[in-house]
């Protein structure tokens, strides 16, 4: 039995204890951020399932037979609320495998609090929150990732590469970026992105390249000098996309490296955005802000 909430999210009622716990079983619409670039918000119908095992299910519509996805209660490591414009309207669900976070958005601060309380109680119902989903002991020595972790890592890697390609496309879109690059005493518009050396270092740490120091070779006869570094980075991404992960990197380490790389890039972009604002170059301000927002979504 569930309390169905409308889009306006009226206060839920509390149903009697199940599995020796009092849990607010509720269902209704929330916005869920897609893990795929450009990370749009999607309207999903969420529902708590208690048996045979506690799950947080989400559907495209409440009448759907099969859910679009699910979040296992025993895989939830933490749930937090995030304020926007002074009110808590977003929920962040972290998983024990460190491979993905779920970002949810409620219609009101009140409803956000209701869902937060429910998800936290759902999480606390489970006693075992092991990283290994099969509940098998991990061997000593090098950490071994589960198939689910590896699949999640691959999805993150794919979305990251798509996002980096989109950022490069923005920089190539207008001649004003090249003009501003020269104003900043750079040779190419691509230097304004600031992300190439940061993420080249990231990929060299997480990918098992045969030669970690390899460089993409292009001839100046074939490309313009201002496009050279951009096209070399594109070639680097092509190689990273087909290279397996290093066995020495865990999903948790990958998440930390990715977060740090995004934050470093955002800080560098701020310098260029401030200068573009000073010289009133709106095209550059808009473009670099779009790239900044892309990395904020990844973080």
């Amino acid at each position: 039995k569930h309390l169905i909430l409308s889009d306006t999210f009226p206060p839920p009622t509390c149903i009697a204890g199940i599995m020796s716990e009092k849990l607010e079983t509720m269902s209704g619409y929330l916005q869920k951020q897609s893990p795929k670039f450009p990370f749009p918000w999607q309207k999903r119908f969420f529902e708590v399932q208690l048996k045979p095992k506690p799950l947080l299910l989400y559907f495209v519509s409440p009448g759907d037979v099969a859910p679009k996805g699910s979040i296992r209660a025993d895989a939830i490591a933490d749930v937090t609320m995030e304020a926007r414009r002074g009110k808590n309207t977003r929920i962040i669900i972290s998983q024990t495998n460190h491979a993905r976070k779920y970002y949810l958005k409620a219609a009101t601060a009140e409803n956000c609090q209701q869902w937060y309380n429910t998800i936290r109680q759902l999480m606390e119902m489970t006693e075992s929150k092991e990283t290994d989903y099969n509940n098998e002991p991990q061997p000593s020595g090098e950490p071994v990732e589960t198939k689910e972790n590896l699949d999640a890592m691959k999805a993150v890697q794919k979305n990251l590469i798509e996002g980096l390609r989109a950022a490069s496309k923005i920089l190539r879109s207008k001649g004003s970026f090249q003009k501003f690059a020269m104003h900043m005493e750079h040779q190419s518009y691509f230097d304004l992105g600031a992300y190439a050396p940061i993420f080249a270092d990231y990929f060299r740490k997480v990918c098992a390249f045969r030669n970690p120091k390899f460089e993409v070779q292009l001839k100046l006869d074939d490309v313009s000098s201002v496009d050279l570094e951009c096209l070399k980075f594109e070639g680097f991404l092509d190689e990273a996309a087909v290279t397996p992960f290093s066995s020495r990197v865990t999903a948790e380490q990958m998440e930390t490296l990715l977060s740090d790389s995004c934050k470093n890039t955002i800080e560098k972009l701020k310098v260029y955005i401030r200068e573009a604002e000073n010289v009133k170059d709106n095209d550059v301000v808009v473009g670099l802000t779009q790239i900044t927002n892309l990395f904020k979504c990844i973080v």
Side-chain angles (χ1 to χ4, degrees), residues 52-196:
K53 57 184 178 181
L55 294 171
L56 184 62
L57 306 174
Y58 55 91
F59 305 78
V60 175
S61 301
D64 293 347
V65 176
K68 186 74 173 178
S70 64
I71 305 172
R72 292 175 49 162
D74 63 354
I76 299 176
D78 194 21
V79 56
T80 58
M81 287 191 294
E82 186 177 66
R84 282 291 187 273
R85 297 179 181 177
K87 295 182 178 181
N88 289 323
T89 56
R90 295 191 183 184
I91 297 171
I92 302 173
I93 300 175
S94 302
Q95 294 185 286
T96 53
N97 61 13
H98 302 284
R100 179 183 176 185
K101 291 183 179 179
Y102 286 85
Y103 296 86
L104 310 178
K105 186 163 58 174
T108 65
E110 180 185 12
N111 186 247
C112 182
Q113 184 69 55
Q114 293 164 359
W115 275 106
Y116 169 81
N117 293 342
T118 296
I119 296 169
R120 178 157 290 282
Q121 290 180 58
L122 188 68
M123 177 186 73
E124 293 171 352
M125 285 175 62
T126 59
E127 295 181 355
S128 175
K129 296 192 285 288
E130 297 296 328
T131 300
D132 179 67
Y133 276 29
N134 296 318
N135 295 320
E136 296 175 357
Q138 294 290 338
S140 59
E142 288 289 334
V144 177
E145 292 295 352
T146 64
K147 181 180 183 300
E148 187 167 357
N149 278 16
L150 290 172
D151 289 343
M153 290 167 71
K154 289 176 183 177
V156 169
Q157 194 88 317
K158 180 182 177 182
N159 293 334
L160 172 61
I161 290 174
E162 289 178 358
L164 290 169
R165 293 192 195 283
S168 297
K169 186 175 180 180
I170 291 172
L171 292 175
R172 291 197 304 265
S173 64
K174 292 186 178 181
S176 53
F177 288 104
Q178 179 60 30
K179 182 179 178 181
F180 183 73
M182 295 177 68
H183 167 74
M184 298 298 296
E185 299 183 350
H186 293 313
Q187 181 180 357
S188 170
Y189 60 85
F190 190 61
D191 295 318
L192 301 177
Y195 51 81

Side-chain angles (χ1 to χ4, degrees), residues 3 7 34 37 41 47 62-63 74 79 86 89 104 139 149-150 157 163 176 196 210 220 234 243 255 281:
L3 178 72
D7 285 341
S34 170
F37 181 82
W41 288 96
E47 179 178 298
D74 63 354
V79 56
T89 56
L104 310 178
N149 278 16
L150 290 172
Q157 194 88 317
S176 53
R210 291 184 179 181
L220 274 173
E234 289 285 325
T243 302
E255 182 181 35
D281 194 329

Side-chain angles (χ1 to χ4, degrees), residues 194-266:
Y195 51 81
I198 294 173
F199 281 93
D201 182 62
Y202 163 82
F203 285 118
R204 292 184 198 281
K205 289 177 180 177
V206 303
C207 294
F209 293 116
R210 291 184 179 181
N211 176 11
K213 296 183 179 180
F214 86 96
E215 297 288 344
V216 175
Q217 300 298 325
L218 290 175
K219 294 181 180 180
L220 274 173
D221 296 342
D222 301 329
V223 299
S224 165
S225 60
V226 298
D227 292 325
L228 181 63
E229 293 304 316
C230 183
L231 294 177
K232 285 174 67 175
F233 188 64
E234 289 285 325
F236 182 88
L237 293 179
D238 290 340
E239 189 69 21
V242 297
T243 302
F245 292 112
S246 169
S247 60
R248 297 188 297 273
V249 178
T250 65
E252 181 177 9
Q253 291 169 331
M254 176 182 169
E255 182 181 35
T256 300
L257 287 169
L258 178 58
S259 178
D260 290 344
S261 298
C262 289
K263 289 175 182 177
N264 290 340
T265 300
I266 290 169

